[in-house]
Amino acid sequence: EVRLRATSEAARSVVVSKSTSQMTFGLPAFGDLDESTTIPLSFKWTNAQGREFLVVPRVSGGRLEFPETGEDGFDFYYFASNMSGGSSSAAERFSHLSQSGKSKGFVKAFKSVFPNIDDVSLEVEAGFPVIYASVKYSKERFALPLMSGAMNRVFTLMVTIASSPDSVILIDEIENGIYFERMPEIARAIFRLASVNGVQIICTTHSYEWLKAVAISAEDSLADLRLWRTTELRGHHAVEVFAGDDLKNAIEYGAELR
């Protein structure tokens, strides 16, 4: 049984069990299963209000699918380490901000990170929406994905945070493509947007520069920070947890935290 301890709607527990009334088979053999095959596993979880949900997944099209439960949960977004940013999804989210009257505030936050940007707009190119940006000292607008990989990645992260309140965002190797001298201001902008929108960010990193940038930029948000560091000793794995204050003190001391 797995339990999440929390003081909000995130508190829940889940039990995964095997049903003896169903045929047993190897899960990797999805290609050999028929569209109506039922997996011999059941998932039962209890939310913070004590309500139970029971789901038995099925195999369809070679994939494991879970039916709708009617539970109103959190929205989750995942950014792979090699993803510079999705043009269509970023454009759609920026359009959502524009329709809700929040695009000006977002553009101001983005310009605080990239001061050479004068404005951001949504344009149509070959029938597809694309984010364009105007730069200072130029009358032309340029497609953001063609201007800078780091700029496009940061824009996608920021617009996802700004347009997805009360969500959870997972980012693998968040430092990828970002020049180390720009990390503090980018981290600061991400912190502020996440705080305003109630977004939980979980990210991985191999960069000491990013950890340093986080410690510097957290400002009054140190209490909201946690560093989870995995270690291995004599074949055993463990997880060390550092609070925000501990992270900042360790960085100032020059300790190796990667």
Side-chain angles (χ1 to χ4, degrees):
E1 182 174 354
V2 178
R3 292 185 181 271
L4 284 177
R5 295 180 181 178
T7 56
S8 66
E9 295 179 359
R12 62 189 62 212
S13 65
V14 61
V15 177
V16 182
S17 59
K18 176 178 177 295
S19 174
T20 57
S21 62
Q22 296 169 335
M23 179 180 66
T24 302
F25 50 81
L27 288 180
F30 282 165
D32 300 326
L33 301 178
D34 133 335
E35 293 292 321
S36 62
T37 304
T38 301
I39 295 295
L41 293 175
S42 63
F43 294 76
K44 182 176 71 174
W45 66 91
T46 307
N47 65 13
Q49 289 72 41
R51 182 182 174 188
E52 289 189 350
F53 299 85
L54 177 64
V55 167
V56 178
R58 303 178 70 83
V59 170
S60 177
R63 297 180 301 177
L64 191 64
E65 293 188 349
F66 291 83
E68 291 290 336
T69 64
E71 182 185 24
D72 187 16
F74 294 97
D75 291 328
F76 286 84
Y77 302 92
Y78 171 68
F79 292 89
S81 61
N82 61 349
M83 190 173 75
S84 60
S87 299
S88 298
S89 59
E92 182 178 350
R93 287 167 184 150
F94 183 73
S95 175
H96 174 73
L97 289 178
S98 180
Q99 293 173 31
S100 58
K102 300 177 181 179
S103 60
K104 289 184 178 180
F106 169 76
V107 171
K108 182 179 180 181
F110 184 66
K111 288 168 61 176
S112 71
V113 180
F114 299 99
N116 289 332
I117 296 296
D118 189 50
D119 196 13
V120 176
S121 63
L122 184 62
E123 311 292 342
V124 177
E125 186 176 287
F128 295 95
V130 180
I131 297 296
Y132 269 69
S134 59
V135 295
K136 295 180 179 179
Y137 316 116
S138 176
K139 296 181 180 180
E140 293 186 63
R141 289 179 179 267
F142 304 93
L144 194 64
L146 301 180
M147 293 180 64
S148 164
M151 187 182 296
N152 189 46
R153 179 175 170 84
V154 172
F155 180 90
T156 304
L157 293 177
M158 291 181 65
V159 78
T160 303
I161 296 171
S163 63
S164 310
D166 302 319
S167 64
V168 177
I169 299 179
L170 312 177
I171 310 169
D172 188 22
E173 297 182 1
I174 189 173
E175 77 279 3
N176 278 3
I178 301 175
Y179 185 52
F180 75 95
E181 289 188 351
R182 306 298 301 276
M183 289 181 180
E185 54 194 305
I186 291 173
R188 186 175 296 110
I190 289 176
F191 274 134
R192 289 174 178 172
L193 275 178
S195 178
V196 169
N197 291 280
V199 173
Q200 171 75 64
I201 296 178
I202 302 173
C203 61
T204 66
T205 183
H206 296 285
S207 170
Y208 185 82
E209 289 80 8
W210 178 259
L211 292 177
K212 185 177 181 181
V214 167
I216 293 173
S217 306
E219 299 173 343
D220 297 330
S221 303
L222 282 174
D224 297 328
L225 285 179
R226 291 293 184 275
L227 171 66
W228 293 55
R229 179 174 180 262
T230 58
T231 60
E232 181 181 0
L233 180 63
R234 299 173 183 172
H236 296 281
H237 295 81
V239 176
E240 296 177 288
V241 182
F242 296 84
D245 288 331
D246 296 331
L247 169 61
K248 185 176 182 180
N249 293 335
I251 290 293
E252 292 176 350
Y253 183 75
E256 176 56 73
L257 295 174
R258 290 172 295 180

